[in-house]
Amino acid sequence: MTSFLKAHWHWCAIALTMLASMALVFSVNGFFDTRIDARIYAAQISSFESGDVFSGDPHVIMRLFKPLYGIIGGWIFQSTHPYGMILGLNIFFYAILAFFAYRIFKALDFSERESVVGTLWIVTAYPVLKYGLALGTDMSGWALAAVTVAIGLVAIKKDSNFLLALASVAGFLGAATKETGPLGLGAIGLLVVWTYRKQGIKILATRLASVCLPFIILYGVLFATISGSAPTLFDWFNANTTEYSGKGTYSVIKLVAVAGSTFGLYWLGVVYAIRMMIRERRMFDHIGYIVGALIATLPILMWPLFISRIVFIQFLWVMPLALYGYRVMSGRIQSRYPEKGKIIMIFVALVPIVFSAALFLVGARGSLFTLMH
């Protein structure tokens, strides 16, 4: 047992932290947190189970462009307890998020210990605690974006068209569950362009085809299977734009405030990393990925309202950059304080986790901005 724990300490630490996080969330919100569209996704599962996906609530029909929960819960498992099915799926995707977040950090050449820190930051982030285990589809969108990026990074390292195509499939699944789900594929597509830009148009075109074609084909098959008349993401965007127009949900101040609460103290790591790259030329080796992920997640700025569960998809670049800042700081602290440096850095790693938990406890049942007012 001791040898097993030593060999797999990183997964044990991640699993225990996730169990503690779930215990915290369920003790505050209960097992069936229905604040965010729970009724609608439960109705989607029921409509797929009955075989009549165009019956009932128009809000359910409007979400047919992201039917993964309905397909899994209704078509595959034919669940008669939709709420339990959604919760089970979200717990499953929580584990997927943790596993592939760790793989992202490893693919970006972080050490095992650093990758554990980054993974713990993600699985305890404020939006994950507040919305991830609620009865919505946010957790699956984040998880499948992480799957896409993790596979895509390995694909580029190994120069594998097959793995790029597999990343495209993961991106498709992300698109079938959440609006932000496919943004990870956008990050990989941009990184492909950057990586292969000097290797000739034929090689670049082949790699981009591997990224794009499986996604396009599978989404076409999905729409043909459900119905060619199903609403699209653009219909959903227009509906939200109409609903939130003039309600003060879209402003620079709102974006800054929401982004601040979404990532909390991790922004300090981002600022520190950028400062060190500019001041001391300590450039992050994978800055091309960071830039690609930043650009790929910019579409959230077009959404007619800002909320942390939408903004959190930027963890694809915020968390690696914050972790790079942590790495640089760790080197400096441990060289200055050789005896106490490791203890100091453990404290530095834990403080933002505690801060995220505190934010969750303060704003668990409502908006932080509403509570402030």
Side-chain angles (χ1 to χ4, degrees):
M1 177 62 75
T2 303
S3 61
F4 175 84
L5 291 176
K6 286 183 178 179
H8 302 283
W9 72 271
H10 52 299
W11 294 121
C12 293
I14 293 168
L16 288 173
T17 301
M18 292 173 65
L19 288 173
S21 297
M22 286 191 289
L24 174 65
V25 171
F26 293 144
S27 67
V28 173
N29 292 338
F31 287 103
F32 301 114
D33 183 357
T34 59
R35 286 172 298 124
I36 52 168
D37 302 330
R39 179 186 60 80
I40 292 172
Y41 287 109
Q44 184 187 85
I45 290 175
S46 297
S47 69
F48 274 83
E49 192 275 334
S50 68
D52 189 2
V53 298
F54 284 94
S55 65
D57 192 339
H59 289 90
V60 179
I61 297 172
M62 185 61 73
R63 288 169 171 79
L64 281 177
F65 72 93
K66 43 179 183 176
L68 190 64
Y69 278 44
I71 291 172
I72 295 174
W75 277 359
I76 298 177
F77 288 102
Q78 297 184 333
S79 173
T80 56
H81 194 320
Y83 283 179
M85 175 57 64
I86 296 171
L87 179 60
L89 285 172
N90 283 346
I91 293 173
F92 169 75
F93 281 117
Y94 191 31
I96 295 296
L97 174 64
F99 181 84
F100 283 96
Y102 179 83
R103 291 303 176 191
I104 288 174
F105 292 122
K106 290 294 288 181
L108 294 174
D109 297 322
F110 287 103
S111 69
E112 183 178 69
R113 190 178 300 273
E114 290 167 344
S115 298
V116 169
V117 170
T119 303
L120 296 185
W121 285 354
I122 288 175
V123 300
T124 60
Y126 166 65
V128 174
L129 297 177
K130 183 172 181 178
Y131 298 110
L133 294 169
L135 301 185
T137 62
D138 298 284
M139 185 69 83
S140 55
W142 303 327
L144 289 166
V147 173
T148 305
V149 169
I151 296 174
L153 289 172
V154 174
I156 292 172
K157 278 190 174 183
K158 294 185 175 182
D159 193 24
S160 170
N161 279 321
F162 170 76
L163 289 177
L164 284 175
L166 193 60
S168 185
V169 173
F172 155 73
L173 292 174
T177 188
K178 190 67 183 175
E179 301 90 334
T180 52
L183 296 184
L185 188 61
I188 293 302
L190 290 171
L191 185 58
V192 164
V193 172
W194 175 257
T195 304
Y196 294 99
R197 69 192 187 283
K198 296 181 180 179
Q199 297 189 26
I201 189 66
K202 183 177 180 180
I203 294 177
L204 177 58
T206 302
R207 302 301 182 271
L208 284 176
S210 298
V211 171
C212 298
L213 286 181
F215 180 94
I216 295 170
I217 293 170
L218 288 170
Y219 222 100
V221 171
L222 175 64
F223 263 74
T225 302
I226 296 176
S227 171
S229 60
T232 66
L233 172 62
F234 302 104
D235 297 320
W236 177 239
F237 174 78
N238 290 332
N240 277 269
T241 300
T242 300
E243 179 177 354
Y244 292 103
S245 178
K247 293 185 178 180
T249 58
Y250 189 95
S251 68
V252 173
I253 294 176
K254 182 78 171 179
L255 173 62
V256 171
V258 171
S261 65
T262 298
F263 293 106
L265 298 180
Y266 301 117
W267 285 119
L268 297 178
V270 171
V271 171
Y272 186 76
I274 294 173
R275 177 177 178 269
M276 297 307 292
M277 284 190 286
I278 294 174
R279 181 180 175 182
E280 299 191 10
R281 300 293 189 270
R282 296 193 182 192
M283 190 58 63
F284 182 42
D285 292 339
H286 298 277
I287 194 65
Y289 163 74
I290 297 295
V291 173
L294 189 157
I295 295 172
T297 56
L298 286 179
I300 66 167
L301 300 180
M302 299 173 60
W303 207 249
L305 76 160
F306 295 124
I307 187 170
S308 62
R309 60 194 180 99
I310 294 175
V311 174
F312 186 65
I313 193 62
Q314 292 186 317
F315 80 87
L316 293 174
W317 66 270
V318 170
M319 292 307 199
L321 198 52
L323 189 60
Y324 177 68
Y326 176 83
R327 170 196 282 177
V328 175
M329 179 183 291
S330 179
R332 293 168 68 92
I333 292 294
Q334 292 191 51
S335 64
R336 182 174 297 181
Y337 307 103
E339 295 184 359
K340 300 180 179 179
K342 288 186 178 180
I343 296 176
I344 293 172
M345 292 315 298
I346 291 173
F347 177 78
V348 171
L350 291 177
V351 166
I353 294 175
V354 174
F355 181 79
S356 295
L359 274 184
F360 165 72
L361 290 173
V362 171
R365 300 298 299 181
S367 166
L368 287 174
F369 304 104
T370 301
L371 294 171
M372 286 165 58
H373 286 304

